[in-house]
Amino acid sequence: MRVFNRAAAVAASLCVLLTSAALADTVKVTDVTGREVEVNVPVEHVILGEGRQIYFVGALDKDDPFKRVVGWRDDLAKADPESYAAYLAEYPDIAKLPAFGGMKDGTFDIEQAVALKPDVMLMNIDAKTATEEAGYIEKLEKVGIPLVYVDFREKPMENTEPSMRLIGKLFGKEEKAEEFIKFRAEQIAKVTDVLAKANPKKPLVFMERAGGYSDDCCMSFGDENFGKMVEFAGGVNMAKEIIPGTFGTVNPEQIIASNPDQIIITGGNWEGYVPGGNWVGVGYGADEKEALRKLENLTKRPAFTGVKAVKDGNVHAIWHQFYNNPYQFVAIQQIAKWLHPDLFKDLDPEATFKELHERFLPLPYRSGYFVSLNVSQ
């Protein structure tokens, strides 16, 4: 009986999907992996392969960011609890939104996905290997559910624009996507144009990924993500030559030997993952005094013994989730201001982030995304 009911549910869902297809335009889109996928647009029912994809969904559907979302992964409440709480207060029905596990940890429920009758499933590129190994693309295709990959994490400086254009096409929000892309490019240019003209000396920067999340030291970034943002901001990424990919680890001796001029640690409120951890809880409306206390505590680890950045007070913390959304330009501005304070004394990343919220995002802006031990910044 259980098998019969599942089969019937799949068949019924397929019937609905085919009926909806007749009422929409079928287009062929190319995702960030180069796959060509046929999708009926504009999509009205979407499964988010990660809850944090609401960062870009909200930028296109400001008035009602959840109107298309029929299901999402269960990560936002733990990875970014302040943002989740703010969305929950504004859109209380999201508490009832079907949630599921991830592809990479093998907890994704394909039968649940079929029952939600989505027009498309959006998946982050970092789950590509696990998705393919489990045969999920073929299984979803059999019941008429296309899957497309986007990327704001593995190569965000390369893939953010095509990802936003792809989502704009799927949502029927091409003009809004282009408006966002233009705003992003203008804000990055406020840094890169000045650097190109001034050609300042570039400080050596150590970017620590999720400092204090565990007792191990130290996760960092290679030639992408925050590592690339450091370069856009006029710095030299210390781990570029050490880490071959986007993410990796450097040992404490390498940090001490490199003696970085600046240290930037990514942080967030990870109480849901590591209760009482040493992580620096920056983020939406964060307690900046507490974040500063925890940031200073991290400088006492052996990896930072005697390094120039600590001696000079050039140790900073920045919201970790900039690594996984299309707002990287805000991070680039803030990093540039830390690395070249005289050159960017008139640049205001807080104002930039506030304008982003006012023009594109559903939530009002709240500060708390950056802190620094340098009292002059």
Side-chain angles (χ1 to χ4, degrees), residues 64 66 69 72 84 87-98:
D64 189 356
F66 294 94
V69 182
W72 60 347
Y84 177 78
Y87 275 118
L88 183 63
E90 189 71 21
Y91 307 97
D93 285 347
I94 68 172
K96 306 172 188 174
L97 199 59

Side-chain angles (χ1 to χ4, degrees), residues 157-293:
M157 302 312 296
E158 177 182 326
N159 288 332
T160 289
E161 287 192 8
S163 292
M164 289 301 291
R165 286 197 173 97
L166 171 61
I167 301 154
K169 179 69 174 178
L170 295 175
F171 286 13
K173 292 290 188 77
E174 290 97 332
E175 289 186 10
K176 179 59 69 173
E178 290 302 327
E179 182 185 349
F180 180 93
I181 288 168
K182 181 174 182 290
F183 178 68
R184 176 179 179 271
E186 289 171 347
Q187 299 307 317
I188 293 175
K190 288 182 179 180
V191 172
T192 55
D193 287 355
V194 171
L195 290 170
K197 183 178 180 180
N199 192 27
K201 181 181 179 181
K202 297 179 179 181
L204 184 65
V205 183
F206 174 59
M207 281 290 324
E208 183 176 6
R209 181 185 176 199
Y213 186 89
S214 71
D215 293 333
D216 296 331
C217 184
C218 293
M219 295 187 293
S220 190
F221 303 85
D223 191 26
E224 245 306 342
N225 205 288
F226 267 109
K228 185 72 74 177
M229 293 182 223
V230 164
E231 295 189 347
F232 270 71
V236 176
N237 174 24
M238 191 203 92
K240 179 178 179 178
E241 304 302 326
I242 300 171
I243 297 172
T246 301
F247 307 107
T249 304
V250 297
N251 62 51
E253 290 76 16
Q254 289 173 312
I255 300 170
I256 294 170
S258 298
N259 196 26
D261 302 297
Q262 302 266 352
I263 293 172
I264 303 173
I265 298 173
T266 71
N269 180 352
W270 291 309
E271 188 69 23
Y273 292 122
V274 187
N278 294 319
W279 37 263
V280 183
V282 287
Y284 189 79
D287 182 339
E288 295 181 23
K289 288 184 179 180
E290 175 64 7
L292 279 170
R293 184 190 70 79

